[in-house]
Amino acid sequence: MSLEDHVEELASDLDVDKEEVKRDLENLVNYSVPMDEAKQSLRRKYGDGGGGGSGPSSKAIGEVSTDDSNVTVTAVVLTSGRRSIQYNGEEHVIREGELADETGTISYTAWDGFDGGLEPGQTVQFGNAGVREWDGKPELNLGESTDATAVDETLDVDAEVGGDAALKTLEPGERGISVEVQVLECETKTIDGRDGETEILSGVVGDATGRLPFTDWDPHTEIEVGASVRIEETFVREFRGAPSVNVSEFSTVTPLSEPVPVAEDAPRMSVGEAVESGGQFDVELVGTVIQIRDGSGLIERCPECGRVVQNGQCRSHGTVEGEDDLRTKAILDDGTATVTVILDDELTERVYGGDLDDAREHARDAMDKSVVADRIAERVVGREYVVRGSLSVDEYGANLNASEFAESTADPAARAKALLSEVEA
Ligand SMILES: [Zn+2]
């Protein structure tokens, strides 16, 4: 059914003006409200079969479900972050964040027709807030028809007000978050943005709890390598399975006089736990290499795109003159799960015990390239390693791009004891 058909149906069922229904329906659909839900809410608006007039019921946040269409809640604003979206060729600024009462928390989106305050820490009664399902959970839509009244009441909520957060606790989807970090890496990139070519910053930030990648979509001059800054109103997105900090035109960046200390070590996890988490930007794993996978040792890369070339063929560029390189793909197992650890040329030189020229000579003498991977396997399979790097998990499996790969020195008895105390903790 086309939008026009839905409008036709609604207008005749509800006996109201077609243009009016069309305007409302287009609005809802443009705001990504699913068609069924949008129609339902218009049926309610125009009083189809309902008692009419009676407002939505007051609910505790913990009771709001995706079956509700409209509710009234009284809640504390935890966070509030702005975002600009393009809609009907115009730019609109919406607000997103989280609300809480004694029974739980809920995300909200405030569309630009919403006329009310969303100051973190303020308790507000939201009358007639729409409910929509987002990622399987209910979320509140605050719009033109929502009334907001500041309430002079302190709710005993079990959540942090204001959005100050440590890097380790960030989760994709969070908005209105403030962090205090040190900029560890930073580079300018040119991308094709909404308004043509535009410059952004990308790099890595750290605090005492960890490191995460960041992107600044509207470059702030205060963000440079070595700077310690407080960034307010950031949002968190998923980047290769791990959270990333996003800075926008709405963020404020303030230099800090004291440098922010940065954790030296990556958090250590079991392979199972790390894989289960869906991705980690910087993690340490300990396990035994059980196998060296195909595509290890002396390999060839496409000079155009750097992809590994198989039989002189690049997947994107066809027949190419491949360039020699060294790489290792090692399967690491700690008893909880396995992960493929990818070693770059430098780390591979170390586990192979020679450089690219040595590997070429080795292969030439044997008249077989696979001798390089064979030697790596002889040297690492069956041994235990401490590995640090960036883990991504997708349909191709769990891959960790290693920045460090060192044979474990801990004696097995001491480690067993440490593991035991972790399990008992
Ligand atoms: Zn290529």
Side-chain angles (χ1 to χ4, degrees):
M1 258 170 104
S2 70
L3 184 94
E4 209 59 49
D5 294 335
H6 288 294
V7 169
E8 199 74 58
E9 182 198 303
L10 275 173
S12 97
D13 283 2
L14 301 170
D15 195 23
V16 287
D17 181 54
K18 220 175 98 178
E19 282 311 305
E20 202 176 333
V21 172
K22 188 175 173 189
R23 207 166 42 239
D24 282 348
L25 195 62
E26 271 178 349
N27 238 321
L28 291 168
V29 170
N30 278 325
Y31 279 146
S32 324
V33 178
M35 181 57 78
D36 281 350
E37 212 176 299
K39 283 170 75 180
Q40 241 179 53
S41 97
L42 289 189
R43 283 180 188 281
R44 258 184 321 268
K45 175 174 174 183
Y46 294 106
D48 180 34
S54 67
S57 55
S58 274
K59 281 208 163 181
I61 283 174
E63 289 169 1
V64 176
S65 87
T66 52
D67 294 333
D68 291 312
S69 51
N70 292 73
V71 292
T72 289
V73 300
T74 300
V76 183
V77 179
L78 294 180
T79 52
S80 173
R82 283 164 291 178
R83 177 156 72 112
S84 81
I85 58 167
Q86 295 274 69
Y87 155 56
N88 279 359
E90 277 175 60
E91 188 152 309
H92 296 257
V93 176
I94 61 173
R95 277 188 177 272
E96 295 166 310
E98 268 197 310
L99 306 174
D101 69 5
E102 292 95 334
T103 65
T105 62
I106 194 166
S107 302
Y108 70 84
T109 303
W111 305 102
D112 60 359
F114 175 72
D115 185 21
L118 285 164
E119 200 57 47
Q122 177 67 51
T123 303
V124 181
Q125 185 189 62
F126 297 95
N128 197 25
V131 180
R132 73 163 173 174
E133 187 176 329
W134 183 252
D135 223 4
K137 287 186 285 196
E139 183 186 285
L140 295 184
N141 265 333
L142 313 177
E144 254 167 35
S145 52
T146 310
D147 342 292
T149 319
V151 180
D152 198 12
E153 189 183 336
T154 313
L155 298 180
D156 181 21
V157 301
D158 187 23
E160 198 81 34
V161 173
D164 270 29
L167 293 182
K168 194 186 169 181
T169 64
L170 296 185
E171 286 185 31
E174 290 183 325
R175 296 195 167 265
I177 299 295
S178 300
V179 293
E180 295 194 352
V181 294
Q182 190 180 131
V183 181
L184 302 173
E185 291 170 30
C186 182
E187 60 173 341
T188 305
K189 282 187 180 165
T190 306
I191 58 157
D192 271 328
R194 206 147 74 179
D195 312 309
E197 282 204 343
T198 171
E199 289 205 332
I200 61 166
L201 300 179
S202 85
V204 178
V205 290
D207 70 7
T209 68
R211 290 153 203 253
L212 286 181
F214 80 90
T215 302
D216 183 356
W217 300 98
D218 185 48
H220 292 75
T221 51
E222 300 85 355
I223 295 184
E224 54 185 355
V225 172
S228 286
V229 289
R230 174 176 172 82
I231 315 176
E232 291 177 358
E233 223 180 304
T234 67
F235 60 96
V236 186
R237 265 194 196 165
E238 189 175 305
F239 178 71
R240 292 187 189 147
S244 78
V245 176
N246 285 259
V247 185
S248 77
E249 68 212 272
F250 300 114
S251 307
T252 50
V253 181
T254 317
L256 299 171
S257 50
E258 292 286 313
V260 172
V262 176
E264 280 297 317
D265 301 322
R268 182 176 289 195
M269 292 176 132
S270 74
V271 177
E273 190 186 358
V275 171
E276 190 70 25
S277 76
Q280 291 286 328
F281 177 67
D282 187 23
V283 68
E284 189 177 270
L285 308 174
V286 183
T288 303
V289 173
I290 56 167
Q291 195 190 326
I292 295 299
R293 292 181 57 174
D294 288 350
S296 295
L298 184 56
I299 56 157
E300 283 181 37
R301 290 190 187 277
C302 170
E304 300 271 332
C305 64
R307 281 202 182 87
V308 172
V309 170
Q310 307 262 4
N311 305 319
Q313 296 288 312
C314 168
R315 254 187 298 152
S316 300
H317 299 100
T319 306
V320 291
E321 191 68 44
E323 291 173 349
D324 288 341
D325 196 10
L326 290 173
R327 177 181 71 175
T328 305
K329 293 167 89 176
I331 301 179
L332 191 81
D333 187 339
D334 73 348
T336 62
T338 64
V339 61
T340 299
V341 175
I342 298 157
L343 307 183
D344 64 7
D345 52 346
E346 279 176 39
L347 290 172
T348 298
E349 280 181 16
R350 263 192 264 159
V351 295
Y352 168 63
D355 63 13
L356 188 57
D357 285 334
D358 298 324
R360 284 194 185 112
E361 202 182 313
H362 189 184
R364 211 180 306 125
D365 289 349
M367 289 190 294
D368 183 359
K369 275 189 175 182
S370 65
V371 292
V372 178
D374 290 346
R375 183 190 288 174
I376 294 170
E378 270 163 37
R379 292 170 60 118
V380 302
V381 169
R383 290 172 189 266
E384 190 180 64
Y385 288 87
V386 180
V387 189
R388 180 175 181 176
S390 197
L391 172 75
S392 63
V393 183
D394 59 24
E395 66 266 39
Y396 304 108
N399 290 292
L400 183 127
N401 275 304
S403 55
E404 294 169 21
F405 184 78
E407 195 165 354
S408 174
T409 50
D411 94 86
R415 204 174 33 254
K417 213 168 140 193
L419 186 69
L420 265 181
S421 69
E422 236 171 74
V423 171
E424 283 162 6

